[in-house]
Amino acid sequence: MEKKKVIIDCDPGIDDSLAIILALKSPELEVRGITIVSGNVHGNKGAENALKILKSINRLDVPVYVGKTEPLKRQLVTAEDTHGEDGLGETQYPTVEETRYRTGAVEFILNAIKKEEISIIALGPLTNIATAMQEDNEVFSKVKEIVFMGGAFKSFGNCSPVAEFNFWVDPDAAKYVLNNAKVPLTMVGLDVTREIVLTPNYIEMLKQFNNQLSKLIVDITRFYVNFHWKQEKTLGCVINDPLAVAYLLDNSLCEGKSYYVDVVIEGQAIGMSMVDEGNFLRKKPNCKVLTETDANRFFYKFFNTLFPEFKEDIEIVLSDKRYSY
Ligand code: BDR
Ligand code: CA
């Protein structure tokens, strides 16, 4: 089986970290590099976090590059309230000394595209991606596809009544990518990611697994779980970003349709993704918008990929209706 070559552009971030782990544990993927953008935390902190996660799964061989640390036109707003002061749920893991992150994420992305067929999984604000396109859209058009977590169609926002965080932090970048990309785009927005709740039952299962990786997940999600309780009385936490990785691996996990999507870049609705379902704007569809997913199937894939040694336990927990929320 030929592996899909991917670059993960992200802002780790708790759910970004889970997405990185899922990608690196997936035998179908070859992760060429992790590029960092400012979002949940400043890019430099995000890069440190990527290294911490890579170290915890023994994959410091994967290079980390920091890219744009400010949105295209606006001032950066980060989300330490959601992800903790350190961006990893206040776990305060020590800085990785063995290897350091590099700079030049945008150059890295463009050079990688010149060499081979690359798919991009984008899990933060689209600043690095928009900048790569602005620098050389000819080269960028060779990208196989971009699957990005961002935006919302019929679901409400998580930063304002209508805006999703990644689009809200850099609406200009999201707008630029949507209107200028010559490559297939898939929007993994809040309509589908809100379904992906790491429930208290799943967290208990991870506690029972009691190994290094399960402990890491329990640790970094604790703060996120508290945030969800305070914010919306959700038990557990919504883990948005890993769904984008899982969808790239298995398109049957989500359903959707292609529409023209644009982004509001000023005013009260700033950061809102406008999906032209009624074709009022008479524009060609530019993005596949995912609207349905099967959370249970996602979690089968997620847990089985991360913990193949617990396949039977996972089957018992995930197939038992009494344990489903
Ligand atoms: C997105 O915003 C961030 O908090 C998460 O990492 C995810 O990428 C969800 O709106
Ligand atoms: Ca993210």
Side-chain angles (χ1 to χ4, degrees):
M1 177 194 55
E2 224 208 303
K3 294 187 176 210
K4 264 194 181 161
K5 302 350 178 248
V6 298
I7 290 173
I8 304 177
D9 187 72
C10 59
D11 57 338
I14 296 167
D15 57 336
D16 298 80
S17 300
L18 299 177
I20 291 172
I21 297 171
L22 175 62
L24 286 166
K25 296 274 179 192
S26 295
E28 310 95 308
L29 296 183
E30 188 84 49
V31 180
R32 290 298 195 219
I34 297 177
T35 56
I36 307 292
V37 66
S38 285
N40 290 321
V41 289
H42 186 276
N44 295 346
K45 210 189 268 182
E48 296 289 0
N49 289 344
L51 291 173
K52 290 176 188 178
I53 295 301
L54 291 175
K55 180 173 173 170
S56 74
I57 55 169
N58 247 321
R59 288 300 310 269
L60 281 175
D61 56 298
V62 178
V64 176
Y65 295 85
V66 74
K68 304 306 280 182
T69 53
E70 290 293 325
L72 291 187
K73 297 186 180 161
R74 301 180 60 77
Q75 265 208 326
L76 175 65
V77 183
T78 51
E80 279 87 356
D81 59 331
T82 315
H83 293 263
E85 206 44 56
D86 63 349
L88 285 183
E90 318 234 311
T91 43
Q92 307 297 352
Y93 295 137
T95 307
V96 174
E97 309 286 358
E98 298 91 306
T99 181
R100 301 302 303 137
Y101 64 82
R102 310 164 200 192
T103 53
V106 172
E107 295 71 24
F108 167 76
I109 293 172
L110 289 170
N111 283 332
I113 298 166
K114 283 182 199 154
K115 282 190 223 136
E116 59 186 348
E117 190 178 68
I118 295 273
S119 300
I120 296 179
I121 304 170
L123 307 174
L126 289 167
T127 325
N128 283 343
I129 307 303
T131 307
M133 286 173 55
Q134 286 172 349
E135 278 184 18
D136 201 335
N137 209 12
E138 193 68 24
V139 166
F140 198 85
S141 66
K142 296 194 172 69
V143 167
K144 185 161 187 240
E145 64 174 315
I146 303 177
V147 175
F148 64 87
M149 192 285 135
F153 177 11
K154 297 192 177 169
S155 201
F156 53 94
N158 60 359
C159 275
S160 81
V162 292
E164 179 281 331
F165 180 78
N166 291 334
F167 274 31
W168 181 78
V169 171
D170 197 344
D172 301 286
K175 183 179 175 71
Y176 190 89
V177 170
L178 281 158
N179 284 293
N180 294 283
K182 297 181 183 153
V183 305
L185 301 178
T186 302
M187 172 169 135
V188 188
L190 293 175
D191 304 77
V192 280
T193 66
R194 277 207 164 99
E195 304 287 317
I196 309 299
V197 180
L198 185 73
T199 64
N201 279 357
Y202 293 151
I203 294 172
E204 181 56 31
M205 178 182 79
L206 294 172
K207 283 188 184 152
Q208 296 298 337
F209 291 174
N210 197 30
N211 65 17
Q212 200 215 337
L213 182 56
S214 72
K215 282 187 198 156
L216 174 93
I217 298 176
V218 172
D219 262 16
I220 64 173
T221 54
R222 186 69 254 165
F223 186 94
Y224 214 27
V225 168
N226 293 343
F227 170 81
H228 278 77
W229 174 251
K230 272 187 252 148
Q231 185 79 3
E232 56 190 40
K233 297 291 173 271
T234 293
L235 287 174
C237 55
V238 175
I239 52 168
N240 306 277
D241 292 340
L243 184 62
V245 176
Y247 176 76
L248 185 79
L249 289 166
D250 178 0
N251 285 187
S252 78
L253 283 174
C254 300
E255 277 171 35
K257 220 178 133 183
S258 291
Y259 296 107
Y260 175 70
V261 184
D262 204 356
V263 182
V264 178
I265 52 167
E266 58 193 6
Q268 203 175 22
I270 192 164
M272 174 187 177
S273 40
M274 290 196 309
V275 179
D276 190 11
E277 191 178 17
N279 195 22
F280 294 103
L281 302 174
R282 302 268 176 265
K283 296 252 200 178
K284 275 216 311 249
N286 57 356
C287 182
K288 181 167 182 185
V289 178
L290 302 185
T291 51
E292 309 275 340
T293 190
D294 181 337
N296 189 255
R297 278 190 55 218
F298 164 83
F299 277 110
Y300 265 103
K301 184 151 195 75
F302 182 71
F303 289 131
N304 281 327
T305 305
L306 268 56
F307 305 102
E309 68 278 35
F310 292 108
K311 198 171 180 355
E312 285 171 20
D313 296 340
I314 292 166
E315 175 62 31
I316 291 168
V317 175
L318 270 70
S319 66
D320 192 330
K321 296 275 180 285
R322 282 177 305 147
Y323 286 102
S324 59
Y325 270 69

